[in-house]
Amino acid sequence: MLRQVDLRQVGAADDFDYRKAVPRASFDVDHALETVRPICDAVATEGEAALRRFSEQFDKVTPEHLRVPAEVLARCADELDDNLRAAFTESIRRRRMVCETAELEQSFGVVEVAPGANVSQRIIPVHRVGLYVPGGLAPLASSVIMNVVPAQVAGVEQIAVASPPQAEFGGLPHPNILALCQLLGVTEVYAVGGAQAIAMFAHGVEGLCPAVDMVTGPGNIYVVAAKRLLRGRVGIDSEAGPTEIAILADDSANPAHVAADLVSQAEHDPMAASVLVTDSEELAAAVERELEAQVPATRHAERVRTALTGEQSGTVLVRDLEQGLAVVDAYAAEHLEIQVRDAEAWAARVRNAGAIFVGSWSPVSLGDYSAGSTHVLPTAGCACHSSGLSVRSFMKAVHVINYSRDALMEIATLVEDFAEAENLPAHGNAITVRRADATTPATSDTDQKEAGR
């Protein structure tokens, strides 16, 4: 079922590019840009009328209310199954605990770089954010938690959520999504999906939804394209592509566990990537046998089989775990499982991954829901430079510079020389014009201001 890529004969030269050898999905965001551009432009100029038209066109339903009424949110929460409510509540508790304990960055105090020359840093939350929750093949209610909780812990004052309207639910988003919004205290929820939701957040729609400062959350290729198109007008978290899992495993791994984890990721989407990297032919063969047994038994067997047999999935055979580590670092997976002997030691050496799942008892599915970690993660190799969505994603660092007269004069000549070297004389002059004031007998900044009037 999984195609094989044999890298065992590749030399140990540092210049071999494993990124070109490992399976990877094709994801042409540039092509999708031309599809979403007129959608985003229409939302910017026509507002609510465009949103309703696109809902009918793409979602096959026109919501009665584009903003979900408060009584609907309350009803969905009231009607939650008790077991599901308990699952939601525990997932929220664990995610919030990790956010508050490990992710919350604090402002630092004043650093005196010279007498009277002070620099400090303030950490300021983004004021207003729009959080997107996919509907599609799977209504990802868990994405509500993964978006909302870190934004709340960061101190974001205004949080809006958008999710596609569902014909099955009378033009409302999935009830589980609405119930979670209610449990989390989010009252601004929109039945708007796709590129038009991103455009609504970025441009704002008069009388419906004020523009936001930042948009986060996963989505299909058209959501990604809209985020790329509107980046700059609005901040974004990332351009997330198809979901992916890589598993680094040796002959100690349980093939049933490995196969189940590959299948669980393939369940997301026909373009989902499932990659096994192993130095054991025996394990690879055993996993293949498990896949042949597990795939037909799963509910979404056709979708899973399409993903597992696609160009983006496969088994990569390596000489040893050292080469395997180089391969998974080059792949930079969204989700990386380490199922080898001494898994913690090998996991500690990983450089590139969105999230690392250590050992046989830490499957990706746990992280998707209730581990306490984020599941909004970089894809398509972007884990080599980007991080998953966290509290820090919703915060800005602002330096505050406060120099006294004497502190500025102490370094004035150096700044002027630096400016001249860059052929920016006006920069230097902004220092020079202060020299005359610096020779006055004023004893404080306030006195200087008064003396200059």
Side-chain angles (χ1 to χ4, degrees), residues 27-294:
F27 195 63
D28 190 356
V29 178
D30 285 336
H31 180 74
L33 279 175
E34 298 313 307
T35 300
V36 305
R37 190 183 303 275
I39 295 172
C40 295
D41 289 346
V43 172
T45 56
E46 301 174 43
E48 190 169 335
L51 294 178
R52 292 188 176 279
R53 184 169 73 252
F54 293 135
S55 289
E56 180 61 37
Q57 180 179 347
F58 299 122
D59 302 307
K60 309 307 178 187
V61 63
T62 303
E64 180 181 357
H65 304 284
L66 290 176
R67 179 165 175 170
V68 179
E71 58 270 21
V72 174
L73 297 174
R75 186 186 73 236
C76 289
D78 290 341
E79 293 176 353
L80 263 183
D81 172 81
D82 288 343
N83 291 335
L84 188 56
R85 180 187 297 273
F88 285 172
T89 301
E90 182 61 14
S91 180
I92 292 168
R93 186 190 72 81
R94 295 186 180 206
R95 184 70 191 103
R96 193 178 299 278
M97 179 183 294
V98 172
C99 285
E100 293 175 342
T101 305
E103 298 177 11
L104 187 57
E105 190 174 358
Q106 301 295 330
S107 300
F108 69 67
V110 174
V111 176
E112 189 176 60
V113 298
N118 299 320
V119 177
S120 59
Q121 177 171 280
R122 291 175 56 202
I123 303 299
I124 304 172
V126 175
H127 173 64
R128 176 170 168 78
V129 299
L131 312 178
Y132 187 75
V133 178
L137 295 174
L140 298 184
S142 54
S143 286
V144 178
I145 297 171
M146 300 299 169
N147 279 273
V148 171
V149 172
Q152 289 178 331
V153 173
V156 175
E157 291 184 14
Q158 296 182 17
I159 297 174
V161 170
S163 190
Q166 310 280 321
E168 179 182 359
F169 302 108
L172 293 167
H174 195 284
N176 289 345
I177 291 173
L178 301 182
L180 266 172
C181 288
Q182 178 73 8
L183 292 179
L184 287 162
V186 177
T187 59
E188 187 180 351
V189 184
Y190 298 94
V192 181
Q196 59 270 28
I198 308 304
M200 174 187 72
F201 281 146
H203 292 290
V205 171
E206 187 175 357
L208 179 68
C209 176
V212 304
D213 302 310
M214 181 179 184
V215 174
T216 73
N220 63 22
I221 192 170
Y222 301 107
V223 169
V224 174
K227 289 167 79 172
R228 176 180 291 185
L229 179 67
L230 296 168
R231 184 174 192 167
R233 171 176 287 276
V234 68
I236 67 170
D237 53 344
S238 66
E239 296 180 9
T243 191
E244 59 199 23
I245 183 176
I247 303 176
L248 179 62
D250 61 14
D251 61 1
S252 70
N254 185 323
H257 293 185
V258 173
D261 295 349
L262 294 171
V263 169
S264 72
Q265 208 61 26
E267 182 178 42
H268 274 285
D269 187 278
M271 293 180 65
S274 295
V275 177
L276 169 63
V277 179
T278 183
D279 61 349
S280 171
E281 286 191 72
E282 292 75 15
L283 176 72
V287 169
E288 191 67 25
R289 290 192 294 272
E290 282 289 339
L291 290 174
E292 294 295 345
Q294 291 187 27

Side-chain angles (χ1 to χ4, degrees), residues 159-440:
I159 297 174
V161 170
S163 190
Q166 310 280 321
E168 179 182 359
F169 302 108
L172 293 167
H174 195 284
N176 289 345
I177 291 173
L178 301 182
L180 266 172
C181 288
Q182 178 73 8
L183 292 179
L184 287 162
V186 177
T187 59
E188 187 180 351
V189 184
Y190 298 94
V192 181
Q196 59 270 28
I198 308 304
M200 174 187 72
F201 281 146
H203 292 290
V205 171
E206 187 175 357
L208 179 68
C209 176
V212 304
D213 302 310
M214 181 179 184
V215 174
T216 73
N220 63 22
I221 192 170
Y222 301 107
V223 169
V224 174
K227 289 167 79 172
R228 176 180 291 185
L229 179 67
L230 296 168
R231 184 174 192 167
R233 171 176 287 276
V234 68
I236 67 170
D237 53 344
S238 66
E239 296 180 9
T243 191
E244 59 199 23
I245 183 176
I247 303 176
L248 179 62
D250 61 14
D251 61 1
S252 70
N254 185 323
H257 293 185
V258 173
D261 295 349
L262 294 171
V263 169
S264 72
Q265 208 61 26
E267 182 178 42
H268 274 285
D269 187 278
M271 293 180 65
S274 295
V275 177
L276 169 63
V277 179
T278 183
D279 61 349
S280 171
E281 286 191 72
E282 292 75 15
L283 176 72
V287 169
E288 191 67 25
R289 290 192 294 272
E290 282 289 339
L291 290 174
E292 294 295 345
Q294 291 187 27
V295 171
T298 194
R299 183 183 305 169
H300 305 296
E302 182 177 354
R303 185 193 310 166
V304 169
R305 187 177 295 275
T306 300
L308 292 178
T309 57
E311 62 176 350
Q312 71 274 17
S313 299
T315 297
V316 179
L317 295 175
V318 293
R319 289 186 306 276
D320 51 35
L321 290 183
E322 286 291 343
Q323 187 186 28
L325 181 62
V327 169
V328 297
D329 262 343
Y331 185 63
E334 177 188 17
H335 309 93
L336 174 63
E337 290 187 358
I338 307 293
Q339 297 196 36
V340 301
R341 295 179 182 85
D342 201 7
E344 287 189 29
W346 285 97
R349 295 178 58 193
V350 172
R351 183 182 299 273
N352 300 326
I356 304 170
F357 299 80
V358 183
S360 188
W361 304 105
S362 304
V364 167
S365 297
L366 177 66
D368 283 342
Y369 301 114
S370 301
S373 56
T374 181
H375 83 192
V376 184
L377 300 165
T379 63
C382 292
C384 68
H385 57 72
S386 297
S387 306
L389 191 73
S390 70
V391 174
R392 294 183 183 94
S393 304
F394 296 99
M395 306 186 86
K396 308 171 294 178
V398 178
H399 280 181
V400 180
I401 300 91
N402 186 357
Y403 271 52
S404 68
R405 177 186 61 185
D406 291 344
L408 176 61
M409 289 305 102
E410 181 184 4
I411 201 171
T413 299
L414 298 180
V415 177
E416 290 166 339
D417 291 345
F418 212 145
E420 183 62 32
E422 292 192 343
N423 193 28
L424 295 172
H427 282 58
N429 188 59
I431 305 298
T432 305
V433 296
R434 286 170 167 78
R435 285 187 182 276
D437 290 339
T439 62
T440 65

